[in-house]
């Protein structure tokens, strides 16, 4: 089992460019999450998906869109990147239905110039 | 109100010392877990511990769900234990979100 796989691991963008972060899990988990972590700070929830076909906003959704393509995949899109979106992004999944152990991907380091 | 609160925010130890990290969580939070973020940024699962006690080598954790707290014990600390320790839980009733504490930054000096 690969667990939670994120791509790309590193990306440099110019202000205004768009990109999509991909996340896939092979554990048949129901719930998936996108977090961002800024230097010296904890994890802030951007969006989450409690089940296939549903998505909800977290603490910091502005500037992002998400898509739960199927049960395995949950993508995060930056339509017009801004320097404030420079961060490390983590995808995570959990079995869900109010239970289960959380697993993280390795993170994607994004720099917006 | 604060759903998951960790203490202390920072902790500095000499190698070989023991430590206890605490996580308080509100009534709306369950399914406690502990993670270690190493200096390279990786988030590593330590314990999935909704209740009870678990041990893994020099680390152990206890969650007392009825009193809404969890403790992470590190014994005979090593420099490789340095990093940030997070606890997290699932919100109950309605939207199912995973909420994190702000973390405890542990530095173990040789």
């Amino acid at each position: 089992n690969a667990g939670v796989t994120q791509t790309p691991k590193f990306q440099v963008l110019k202000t205004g460019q768009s990109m999509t972060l991909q996340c896939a899990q092979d554990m048949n988990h129901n719930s998936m999450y996108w977090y961002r972590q800024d230097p010296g700070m904890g994890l802030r929830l951007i969006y989450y998906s409690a089940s296939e076909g549903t998505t909800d906003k977290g603490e910091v959704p502005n500037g992002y869109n998400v898509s739960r393509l199927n049960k395995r995949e949950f993508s995060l899109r930056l339509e017009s990147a801004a320097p404030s979106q420079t961060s490390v992004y983590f995808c995570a999944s959990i079995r869900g239905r109010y239970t289960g152990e959380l697993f993280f991907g390795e993170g994607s380091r994004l720099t917006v110039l | 109100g604060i759903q998951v609160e960790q203490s202390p925010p920072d902790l500095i130890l000499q190698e070989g010392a023991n430590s206890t990290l605490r996580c308080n969580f509100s009534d709306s939070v369950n399914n406690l877990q502990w993670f270690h973020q190493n200096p390279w940024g990786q988030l590593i699962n330590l314990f999935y511990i909704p209740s009870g006690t678990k041990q893994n080598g020099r680390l152990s954790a206890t969650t007392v769900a009825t009193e809404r707290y969890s403790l992470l014990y590190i014994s005979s600390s090593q420099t490789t234990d340095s990093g940030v320790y997070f606890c997290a839980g699932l919100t109950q009733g309605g939207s199912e979100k995973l909420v994190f504490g702000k973390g405890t930054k542990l530095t173990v000096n040789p």
Side-chain angles (χ1 to χ4, degrees):
Chain A
N1 280 353
V4 180
T5 304
Q6 287 181 236
T7 55
K9 291 189 169 39
F10 299 94
Q11 184 73 51
V12 178
L13 292 177
K14 294 181 180 178
T15 297
Q17 287 184 317
S18 62
M19 76 158 298
T20 300
L21 296 173
Q22 307 283 358
C23 176
Q25 51 89 11
D26 61 4
M27 296 172 283
N28 201 34
H29 284 175
N30 291 300
S31 300
M32 298 184 73
Y33 304 81
W34 276 106
Y35 290 90
R36 62 176 287 174
Q37 186 178 36
D38 300 305
M41 298 190 63
L43 292 143
R44 293 187 292 171
L45 181 63
I46 306 171
Y47 271 93
Y48 66 105
S49 171
S51 62
E52 184 180 355
T54 67
T55 61
D56 285 285
K57 295 179 180 179
E59 301 172 68
V60 289
N62 291 345
Y64 304 96
N65 287 304
V66 289
S67 179
R68 184 74 183 268
L69 304 168
N70 47 55
K71 194 171 187 180
R72 289 188 64 246
E73 299 172 290
F74 188 39
S75 62
L76 178 72
R77 183 161 179 83
L78 288 69
E79 290 291 351
S80 179
S84 61
Q85 294 178 303
T86 293
S87 189
V88 180
Y89 292 84
F90 288 97
C91 178
S93 73
I94 196 168
R95 181 155 53 92
R97 304 291 191 259
Y98 304 113
T99 189
E101 186 174 2
L102 180 76
F103 292 89
F104 278 100
E106 293 189 350
S108 299
R109 187 174 295 275
L110 175 66
T111 302
V112 183
L113 303 175
Chain B
I2 296 175
Q3 294 181 297
V4 179
E5 190 172 34
Q6 291 185 243
S7 60
D10 293 278
L11 188 56
I12 300 174
L13 301 174
Q14 286 301 122
E15 203 166 23
N18 302 329
S19 62
T20 301
L21 282 59
R22 186 177 179 104
C23 177
N24 292 332
F25 53 98
S26 63
D27 289 345
S28 60
V29 173
N30 215 325
N31 284 278
L32 251 289
Q33 306 184 46
W34 285 95
F35 301 89
H36 175 217
Q37 187 167 38
N38 63 26
W40 296 271
Q42 289 179 301
L43 283 157
I44 299 163
N45 292 35
L46 295 178
F47 295 102
Y48 171 59
I49 188 162
S51 64
T53 298
K54 291 185 178 179
Q55 179 154 10
N56 184 2
R58 296 180 295 102
L59 273 60
S60 64
T62 295
T63 296
V64 183
T66 53
E67 297 186 24
R68 320 306 298 170
Y69 73 87
S70 184
L71 302 174
L72 177 69
Y73 306 97
I74 304 174
S75 64
S76 304
S77 57
Q78 300 176 359
T79 56
T80 52
D81 295 331
S82 296
V84 182
Y85 290 80
F86 291 103
C87 69
L90 274 176
T91 59
Q92 305 292 301
S95 59
E96 184 184 81
K97 289 193 291 188
L98 200 64
V99 289
F100 281 81
K102 293 187 184 301
T104 292
K105 183 178 180 181
L106 175 64
T107 303
V108 181
N109 292 320

